[in-house]
Amino acid sequence: MNVRRLIPTTAVAGAVVLGLTALSACSTSDAADGGNGDKLKVTASFYPMQFLAERIGGEHVAVTSLTKPGVEPHDLELTPRQIGSISESDYVLYLKGVQPAVDDAIKQSGVKNTVDAATLTTLENHGAEVSGHGHEHEHEDEHGHEGEEEAHEEHAEGDGHNHGEEGGADPHIWLDPVKYAEVAKGVGKSLEKADPDHAADYKKNTEALVGELDKLNTAYGTGLKNTATTTFITTHSAFGYLAERYGLTQQGIAGIDPEAEPTPARIQELHTIAEKEKATTVFFETLASDKTAKTLAKDTGLKTDVLDPLEGITKKSQGADYIEVMESNLVALRKALGAK
């Protein structure tokens, strides 16, 4: 949870001024600063946006992330200094619906080049449906999906992520390499327009990143094609797009809060689902407690493992960046699902 405190309102004006002064004076890689005066000052809302900005922007951008490593993005509160830094940005990249505080601050910032990643691909509502039907995965018919109707009913009881304003659209698009690649292409084009002098480099960097994401998609598609089960249980219902892409069924434990306690009834339901679908593992994430996962695993006789929703990179992350952690997630999924 975010434990940083907001500066009292009486100090807001001074803090904003001081914050902007500090931003222009320091020379760290974390701030758009005087030392990087010739670079595009980019503010990213949280890690998945930061990764895109850094990889596509390359040497031509100075990226500041509003969400520090280890902070759960959904809980983020902005300091006056951070709000001031947004207004000073040349380019802002965020994902509407994930962080209400960021959405509000960006709306009021007046920054010309503001890009909402949600507009660069198609969002879906996974509140009542979590499995891969009729989507672009080739092996959809190779897996049995018995019990999906029941699974959908279970999921509809409130374990969907209902962020955003479009009927509870699921914002976790970055966990699907195909959708993330679509976003990357849009970010590349927007950076070309924002900084035309370096358009060729942005295009080149975008193509390179999209190539990596295509390889990641192929690895997932191949790696999850033949599995003993297609059902996985997770404390954080963040993997709806990933499940849909690769013909899997996500079963969330107790809602959008990864640390929420499951009800006794939900534990019994998951026990039944685990037996019927031959699920083996309860996944938890790096930025939240594993207490819920371990409680459920103990009650149902299942194993626990990490499936990282990639909302931030810390020392506990199973990899140094998005690509590496997604590769680790694939290893964990293959093990849990009994991939052949």
Side-chain angles (χ1 to χ4, degrees):
M1 302 291 285
N2 182 24
V3 295
R4 286 175 297 165
R5 301 188 179 196
L6 290 174
I7 298 171
T9 52
T10 53
V12 167
V16 171
V17 173
L18 288 173
L20 297 179
T21 303
L23 280 175
S24 63
C26 67
S27 59
T28 66
S29 60
D30 188 49
D33 50 39
N36 290 323
D38 58 335
K39 296 189 177 185
L40 199 70
K41 297 178 183 177
V42 176
T43 295
S45 56
F46 71 130
Y47 179 72
M49 302 298 101
Q50 176 189 350
F51 178 75
L52 290 179
E54 290 176 343
R55 287 294 303 272
I56 296 171
E59 64 183 8
H60 304 303
V61 299
V63 182
T64 302
S65 178
L66 295 173
T67 310
K68 303 305 177 187
V71 173
E72 220 290 329
H74 303 293
D75 301 328
L76 182 68
E77 294 175 351
L78 296 176
T79 64
R81 175 179 171 172
Q82 288 179 304
I83 293 171
S85 74
I86 294 173
S87 299
E88 290 295 300
S89 303
D90 298 314
Y91 179 100
V92 177
L93 179 60
Y94 75 116
L95 181 54
K96 188 175 181 180
V98 176
Q99 300 165 288
V102 173
D103 295 350
D104 291 342
I106 289 173
K107 190 184 297 182
Q108 298 170 24
S109 70
V111 176
K112 178 184 176 184
N113 295 303
T114 300
V115 177
D116 172 11
T119 66
L120 303 177
T121 185
T122 306
L123 267 63
E124 298 168 18
N125 188 343
H126 293 125
E129 185 166 332
V130 291
S131 61
H133 282 310
H135 207 65
E136 303 151 42
H137 46 75
E138 299 163 9
H139 53 283
E140 153 178 33
D141 296 325
E142 296 177 23
H143 288 307
H145 286 278
E146 291 182 46
E148 281 183 347
E149 192 171 322
E150 294 92 332
H152 294 166
E153 289 172 5
E154 307 294 359
H155 196 83
E157 289 183 13
D159 62 323
H161 248 299
N162 290 317
H163 297 294
E165 299 173 359
E166 300 174 22
D170 181 355
H172 296 88
I173 48 179
W174 66 91
L175 291 166
D176 173 357
V178 177
K179 284 193 174 293
Y180 200 45
E182 290 175 1
V183 174
K185 291 174 184 176
V187 170
K189 288 178 182 176
S190 66
L191 280 171
E192 289 176 38
K193 289 180 181 178
D195 182 17
D197 289 347
H198 301 113
D201 285 345
Y202 295 141
K203 187 172 184 179
K204 179 182 175 182
N205 294 343
T206 300
E207 289 173 352
L209 178 56
V210 169
E212 288 185 58
L213 294 173
D214 286 347
K215 288 181 181 177
L216 189 64
N217 174 47
T218 299
Y220 265 79
T222 303
L224 299 172
K225 192 167 187 176
N226 296 300
T227 56
T229 179
T230 58
T231 298
F232 63 96
I233 300 171
T234 175
T235 55
H236 188 178
S237 302
F239 302 92
Y241 291 107
L242 185 148
E244 188 172 25
R245 177 68 58 190
Y246 304 110
L248 308 178
T249 299
Q250 168 185 255
Q251 285 291 340
I253 292 179
I256 67 173
D257 183 353
E259 297 184 31
E261 293 288 339
T263 64
R266 181 59 177 160
I267 289 177
Q268 184 56 49
E269 289 164 357
L270 288 170
H271 192 187
T272 301
I273 290 167
E275 283 189 342
K276 186 172 184 178
E277 302 297 334
K278 297 183 175 61
T280 66
T281 306
V282 180
F283 286 114
F284 62 95
E285 60 174 287
T286 51
L287 294 184
S289 169
D290 62 357
K291 180 183 175 184
T292 302
K294 287 184 174 177
T295 298
L296 178 61
K298 183 179 179 181
D299 290 343
T300 57
L302 302 177
K303 302 171 187 174
T304 59
D305 202 355
V306 171
L307 195 62
D308 195 330
L310 266 158
E311 293 179 341
I313 296 287
T314 69
K315 292 179 180 178
K316 293 182 180 180
S317 299
Q318 302 294 309
D321 64 13
Y322 172 87
I323 300 293
E324 290 185 4
V325 175
M326 282 293 284
E327 289 172 344
S328 295
N329 279 349
L330 176 56
V331 171
L333 278 169
R334 281 177 51 81
K335 181 180 177 183
L337 299 175
K340 300 177 180 64

